[in-house]
Every structure is written in C-alpha cells, then in structure tokens.
C-alpha cells in the first residue's frame, strides 16, 4: 500500500530542456512521485536557478550531481530522495547512474542507456552488485495499444511471427541546424556526446526496442545501410536495415532524421500465420488488426476485447486521446510500483518497464549496425 509519494531527484533537465519537462510531467501524472531535488545543468548557476524556478527548496538545488548524491545520502531516510532520474545527453548517463547506484539510490534513465557498449555492460554489473532498480525510458512501450499488441502476440493470436516492418522517420535535421546554435541538434550530431550512432542511437533503438517488446523476439542479425546527408556531419542521419529475428522471421527497419516533412513517424507492422497488426505513434490510440478469415478490427484504449495489460494503462474513457506523456507516465508508474514493492519486502518477477537488459541489447544493436555499414552492409550478428 502506498503511504507517501516517492521522492525523485533529477540530473539534467534544466530551464529550456524539452525532455526534462517531459520527465517531470510524466512522473507526476499518476500522483505517485514528487520532485524534491536536482542538479539540473552542468553550469552551476543555471542548475540553481532551474531548481528555484521549479519551486524547490534552495538547500536542495545542487550545483553538481556529485553534490546532490552525497548530500542526499546524508539526509534522514524520511526526507532524502528515493531515486534519481537522468535526463542528460548520452555522454552524461553513465557517471551519475554509476554514482547513484553505488550510493544506494534507484535510477531511471533516458535512452540510449550509455555513450558506449563498454559503459553499458559495466553499468549492468554495477546494477547487479548494488541490488538497486534501474529503468530505461523507452517510453513508447508504455502505450496502451502497444501493450495490447504485445499481449495478443504472446497469447498466440497472430500465430507464428513471419515478417516485421518498423520505421522511425523524422525531418528535423533536414538542414544543418546544429551549426546555428540549436543545442538538441548540436549534441546529437557530436560523437563525443551522442556515441557512434546518430539517428541510429537517437531513434533507431526505439524501433529495435519496439520490435522486441511487441513480438517478444530479439533481432539476431542486421544488414545496415546508413547514410550521412547533412554537410559536415560524421554521424548517420538516415538508414535502412534488414533484420533477421531469432525465430527465423524476416524484417526491416527504416530510420531517418532528414525525411523532409516527417514529424515523429514511428510505426510497426507484424505479420503472423493467422493475422497481422499495425500501430502508428502519430495515431497512438488505434491498433489495426487483420485476420485470415475475419474482418479487420481496430482496437482503442478502454475499448472492447482488450487484454488486461492494455486496460491497466488506459487511464481515461474511450474517445479521449492518450499519447506521449501518458506512455512516458506508464514507465514511471511501473517503476514506482516496483520500488514500493521492494520497500515492502515483496519480490516482483517480471516488472513491466524497460531495464538494463534492454539497454545493453540496444547498444549491441547500434554497434552491430555500424559494423555492418562499415563492411558494405554485411550481415552482422548482435
């Protein structure tokens, strides 16, 4: 039973941050979490100012994440933060995650999990040794219709999966806005901050994660053809990949951040022996299914025929749209429920949120795709 809200500390996400604001809103939606402290910027003055703007106590607006973790650790248990949310660029995921875990705090982190695969596997060991919980915000898996798709496939309703198609298309990097002072573009196109994948690491792993989550199958091999269209860029901003799944199914993933006119076109289609399904992030409240000997059926949140997994995260009556923030909130809610269970001495076998295993697999996917591209799109095992 929940007796109080869980207390969250945040690293990154200061004034002007898009993703920081998203995390704060998502964490608050279900009334289980409150923000109590933070180190919101690598600039000390901006960090303090950001905390004050969020109406935090000045004593809990910290200059650095190191200061936050050490000082919060010294506070009484009934005051200190319960977990840390990391919403920084990729190169600053590992250091605060490592320190927070080693000082006894749970962690929830934006994707990709780390800058490098080596950091990801090291973090996996640290999590195991610490005994603390770690969540990764692959937020699209929190959508009700994604959970419906997963439940239908797990129940065998589509039969054996044969073919999978996924795409994640954006157009916001169609011009080299990273040269104009646009901070989001600047760090995402900088390998020292983004890692070895550009669009691949930013949106490609969302597509890979969605495939694995919905189908329950992992990508076994990839043949990748990545492109760099922005003048002066060194990281991919476009790509097409053939994939082979561990059960023998075939598929493809298309990604782009230079697809002019596209906004946030994430989609997945799964074809089985008995039926197929498709879901589009830009129309997230519909799951379209087609069947061998039955009419097409469209599912919606809180509608008829939903599996319990989908009903559980359908917050409002049918016809009222739920989307990006609610899906994000589902990750936070399930993470919070797991923390509360741990605090109560209960064991949770399969918590429903992305964890370090998905993070490591995502990094392996990035590395395999880059290796494949560098070797003339040869098939590369993950």
């Amino acid at each position: 039973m929940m007796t109080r809200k869980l207390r969250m500390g945040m690293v990154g996400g200061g004034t002007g941050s898009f993703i920081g604001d998203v995390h704060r809103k998502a964490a608050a939606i279900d009334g289980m979490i409150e923000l109590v402290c933070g180190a919101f910027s690598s600039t000390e003055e901006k960090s303090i100012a950001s905390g004050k703007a969020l109406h935090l106590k000045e004593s809990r607006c910290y200059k650095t994440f190191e200061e936050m973790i050490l000082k919060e650790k010294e506070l009484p248990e009934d005051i200190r933060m319960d977990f840390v949310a990391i919403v920084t660029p990729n190169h600053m995921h590992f250091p605060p995650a490592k320190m927070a875990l080693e000082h006894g705090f749970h962690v929830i982190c934006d994707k990709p999990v780390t800058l490098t695969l080596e950091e990801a596997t090291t973090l996996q060991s640290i999590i195991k040794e610490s005994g603390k919980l770690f969540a990764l915000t692959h937020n699209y898996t929190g959508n009700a219709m994604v959970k419906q798709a997963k439940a239908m496939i797990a129940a065998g309703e589509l039969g054996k999966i044969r073919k999978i198609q996924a795409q994640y298309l954006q157009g916001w990097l169609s011009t080299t806005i990273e040269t104009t002072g646009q901070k989001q573009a600047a760090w995402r196109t900088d390998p020292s901050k983004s890692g070895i994948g550009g669009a691949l690491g930013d949106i490609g792993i969302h597509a890979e994660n969605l495939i694995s989550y919905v189908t329950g199958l992992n990508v076994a091999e990839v043949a990748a053809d990545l492109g760099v269209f922005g003048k002066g860029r060194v990281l991919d901003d476009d790509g097409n990949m053939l994939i082979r799944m561990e059960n023998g199914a075939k598929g493809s993933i298309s990604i782009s951040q230079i697809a002019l006119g596209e906004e946030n076109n994430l989609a997945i289609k799964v074809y089985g022996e008995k039926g197929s399904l498709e879901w589009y992030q830009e129309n997230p409240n519909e799951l379209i299914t087609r069947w061998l000997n039955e009419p097409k059926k469209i599912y919606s949140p809180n509608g008829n025929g939903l599996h319990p997994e989908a009903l559980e995260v359908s917050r409002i009556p049918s016809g009222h749209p739920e989307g990006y923030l609610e899906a994000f909130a589902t990750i936070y809610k399930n993470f919070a429920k797991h923390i509360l269970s741990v605090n109560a001495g209960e064991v949770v076998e399969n918590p429903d949120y992305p964890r370090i295993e998905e993070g490591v697999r995502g990094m392996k996917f990035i590395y395999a795709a880059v290796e494949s591209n560098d070797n003339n799109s040869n098939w590369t095992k993950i």
Side-chain angles (χ1 to χ4, degrees):
M1 181 180 294
M2 184 174 174
T3 57
R4 64 170 177 83
K5 290 185 178 182
L6 292 174
R7 296 179 290 267
M8 178 174 77
M10 180 168 279
V11 178
T15 303
S17 165
F18 161 72
I19 201 65
D21 196 41
V22 166
H23 277 258
R24 288 188 288 270
K25 288 174 179 175
I29 281 178
D30 291 297
M32 301 176 70
I33 297 166
E34 62 178 332
L35 179 70
V36 298
C37 65
F40 299 100
S41 173
S42 57
T43 304
E44 294 181 0
E45 295 78 8
K46 183 178 178 180
S47 182
I48 301 297
S50 297
K52 289 180 178 178
L54 291 166
H55 309 290
L56 298 180
K57 292 181 179 180
E58 188 170 351
S59 62
R60 300 182 80 176
C61 301
Y62 298 105
K63 296 177 181 178
T64 65
F65 74 81
E66 293 95 340
E67 180 189 32
M68 182 184 80
I69 292 169
L70 291 176
K71 288 195 173 181
E72 287 291 314
K73 182 67 174 179
E74 293 173 356
L75 294 175
E77 286 189 20
D78 60 344
I79 297 176
R80 73 170 71 128
M81 64 182 178
D82 294 294
F83 71 93
V84 177
I86 300 172
V87 298
T88 58
N90 303 349
H91 72 295
M92 284 304 296
H93 287 182
F94 179 74
K98 177 180 183 293
M99 185 174 180
L101 290 161
E102 291 177 340
H103 283 78
F105 295 106
H106 306 292
V107 172
I108 186 167
C109 183
D110 214 15
K111 44 52 60 185
V113 63
T114 51
L115 183 72
T116 68
L117 177 56
E118 182 181 7
E119 285 182 347
T121 55
T122 299
L123 187 63
Q124 187 172 30
S125 298
I126 292 170
I127 293 166
K128 184 177 180 180
E129 292 169 7
S130 72
K132 295 300 173 181
L133 305 183
F134 180 89
L136 192 64
T137 51
H138 274 296
N139 53 292
Y140 300 108
T141 64
N143 190 281
M145 292 300 91
V146 170
K147 292 192 180 298
Q148 173 68 9
K150 177 181 177 65
M152 292 175 69
I153 291 173
E157 294 176 35
L158 270 63
K160 184 179 179 181
I161 303 306
R162 293 171 164 175
K163 184 178 180 66
I164 302 162
Q165 290 183 314
Q167 66 180 40
Y168 202 153
L169 306 176
Q170 300 175 334
W172 72 292
L173 291 180
S174 293
T175 61
T176 52
I177 58 173
E178 64 268 27
T179 63
T180 67
Q182 215 278 13
K183 291 184 178 180
Q184 295 299 319
W187 78 256
R188 281 179 169 83
T189 55
D190 180 352
S192 70
K193 293 181 173 63
S194 182
I196 67 169
L200 184 62
D202 192 24
I203 58 177
I205 59 166
H206 268 311
E208 176 271 331
N209 180 262
L210 189 63
I211 288 172
S212 294
Y213 184 79
V214 167
T215 66
L217 302 167
N218 292 328
V219 180
E221 293 181 272
V222 61
D225 180 21
L226 306 177
V228 182
F229 288 92
K231 185 178 180 180
R233 285 182 189 151
V234 295
L235 295 178
D236 62 279
D237 51 23
D238 184 81
N240 297 290
M241 290 161 273
L242 296 177
I243 56 174
R244 292 170 177 165
M245 306 302 292
E246 59 188 359
N247 76 329
K250 310 291 186 181
S252 64
I253 299 173
S254 180
I255 62 169
S256 185
Q257 292 182 315
I258 52 88
L260 186 63
E262 295 286 359
E263 294 179 350
N264 205 59
N265 191 354
L266 170 64
I268 184 171
K269 298 180 180 181
V270 182
Y271 301 89
E273 293 176 326
K274 301 177 183 178
S276 66
L277 59 79
E278 55 189 272
W279 178 79
Y280 300 87
Q281 191 280 145
E282 293 185 337
N283 188 18
N285 295 287
E286 287 189 356
L287 177 67
I288 302 167
T289 63
R290 295 179 173 86
W291 306 97
L292 190 61
N293 296 308
E294 298 176 32
K296 177 174 76 173
K297 183 173 182 179
I298 300 176
Y299 293 88
S300 61
N302 265 320
N304 295 326
L306 293 189
H307 284 264
E309 296 90 333
L311 285 170
E312 186 178 349
V313 299
S314 298
R315 292 174 175 82
I316 50 181
S318 299
H320 296 79
E322 296 186 55
Y324 183 69
L325 288 176
E326 289 85 357
F328 239 113
T330 297
I331 306 296
Y332 269 95
K333 180 181 179 180
N334 289 346
F335 183 57
K337 286 167 63 178
H338 195 186
I339 292 174
L340 291 168
S341 296
V342 169
N343 290 347
E346 301 169 359
V347 176
V348 179
E349 293 295 338
N350 292 298
D352 188 11
Y353 59 83
R355 288 172 280 169
I356 186 61
E357 291 79 12
E358 286 87 340
V360 171
R361 188 174 67 237
M363 293 303 296
K364 289 181 178 179
F365 173 77
I366 292 171
Y367 274 62
V370 170
E371 181 183 340
S372 171
N373 179 74
D374 290 345
N375 287 282
N376 199 31
S377 304
N378 285 348
W379 282 102
T380 304
K381 293 184 182 298
I382 298 174

